[in-house]
Amino acid sequence: GAVVSQHPSRVICKSGTSVKIECRSLDFQATTMFWYRQFPKQSLMLMATSNEGSKATYEQGVEKDKFLINHASLTLSTLTVTSAHPEDSSFYICSARGPRDREETQYFGPGTRLLVL
Amino acid sequence: AQSVTQPDIHITVSEGASLELRCNYSYGATPYLFWYVQSPGQGLQLLLKYFSGDTLVQGIKGFEAEFKRSQSSFNLRKPSVHWSDAAEYFCAVGARYKLSFGAGTTVTVRA
C-alpha cells in the first residue's frame, strides 16, 4: 500500500507556457503532500509543502507565483509551473505523507521530467 | 535544523560482494531515519526506516541498516549485491514530517 502516481511522466513545452503536474495518492488519503525538484546528479530539494484545503508552504527561495500548488482533495495535489522558461527544466517529484499508521514516512511518485524549449 | 551527510559520492562493487553505504546525520532529538533508492529517471522507493527500538533494521531487497546514536550514523548494508542494485541511494532524516536528504551515493555493480 501507499502508492503515489504522477502525471505526466514527461512533458516538453515552449517557453512562456504553463505546465500542470498532478500527484495522486492511489490507495490512501494524504493530508500532506510535498513537491521536490531534482537537478541531474543532485539530491532532492524541497520546494513546498501542500496541505489539503489550505495554502501551500513554500521553502525559502521558491517563487510561489511561479510554482502554483493546489491541494484540492485528499488524494490530489497539483503543481503548475507558470510561464515556464528553460531554467525551469528539471525533474519534479512529489511525495505524500503516509497513512495514519505511517505518518512519518513519505511515499514518492515516479517523477515528472520537464523540458522547456 | 537537521542535516545528512553521505561521504561517498560513488561506490563500485562487484556482483556478489558486500556493500556498505555510510550516512551521518545531525539532529538535536531522536531522529526518524530513512534510506531510499532511486533508479535512473524514477522516483524514490523506501528501502527501510528507523523510528525507535531495535537499532538493526531490516528492509526490502535484502538491505539492512544499523542506527548508532553514539556515532550519529545510519549505515546501509547488503551482504551480497545483485546487478539490479545499481542505483542512487539517499539517506534522509525526518523531523516534523519534513525530510532532509543527503547528497546521495551512486552504486555501480560490475560483473
Side-chain angles (χ1 to χ4, degrees):
Chain A
V3 179
V4 177
S5 70
Q6 267 183 258
H7 179 78
S9 58
R10 185 174 300 188
V11 56
I12 302 173
C13 69
K14 293 182 178 180
S15 185
T17 61
S18 294
V19 175
K20 180 184 283 188
I21 302 170
E22 293 185 347
C23 178
R24 293 182 185 271
S25 56
L26 297 184
D27 53 0
F28 67 104
Q29 293 182 332
T31 56
T32 304
M33 291 184 171
F34 303 87
W35 287 95
Y36 295 84
R37 186 172 178 176
Q38 186 180 30
F39 291 103
K41 303 292 185 183
Q42 294 190 26
S43 188
L44 282 74
M45 181 190 77
L46 179 65
M47 298 173 65
T49 302
S50 168
N51 292 296
E52 186 268 337
S54 64
K55 290 184 178 180
T57 303
Y58 291 81
E59 295 300 302
Q60 193 170 5
V62 177
E63 300 175 61
K64 60 180 68 176
D65 294 330
K66 170 67 133 177
F67 300 100
L68 300 179
I69 291 171
N70 184 278
H71 194 159
S73 78
L74 286 171
T75 59
L76 174 64
S77 176
T78 60
L79 168 68
T80 301
V81 183
T82 62
S83 188
H85 291 284
E87 57 266 29
D88 298 323
S89 299
S90 191
F91 193 54
Y92 293 89
I93 307 177
C94 74
S95 70
R97 184 173 150 193
R100 193 161 297 178
D101 59 334
R102 287 171 279 169
E103 286 181 322
E104 297 81 6
T105 301
Q106 288 184 28
Y107 295 89
F108 286 80
T112 296
R113 175 80 56 195
L114 171 63
L115 177 61
V116 184
L117 302 177
Chain B
Q2 65 271 27
S3 66
V4 177
T5 301
Q6 293 181 245
D8 305 303
I9 297 173
H10 192 185
I11 287 180
T12 298
V13 61
S14 297
E15 192 169 13
S18 63
L19 173 69
E20 181 167 15
L21 304 181
R22 295 183 291 165
C23 172
N24 294 97
Y25 69 90
S26 173
Y27 185 58
T30 300
Y32 294 150
L33 295 163
F34 305 83
W35 275 100
Y36 287 90
V37 61
Q38 183 180 35
S39 297
Q42 301 294 315
L44 275 67
Q45 181 181 21
L46 178 67
L47 285 176
L48 47 77
K49 59 188 177 184
Y50 172 80
F51 292 165
S52 64
D54 194 345
T55 57
L56 186 61
V57 181
Q58 301 298 320
I60 63 171
K61 303 185 178 187
F63 284 93
E64 66 177 25
E66 186 171 13
F67 171 61
K68 293 186 177 180
R69 184 187 300 276
S70 61
Q71 299 177 19
S72 296
S73 69
F74 188 56
N75 294 347
L76 181 72
R77 298 192 292 256
K78 185 169 184 176
S80 178
V81 169
H82 187 262
W83 64 266
S84 60
D85 294 322
E88 188 81 14
Y89 291 80
F90 291 98
C91 181
V93 59
R96 295 184 297 279
Y97 308 114
K98 279 188 176 182
L99 292 180
S100 293
F101 286 88
T105 299
T106 302
V107 172
T108 298
V109 180
R110 59 179 174 226

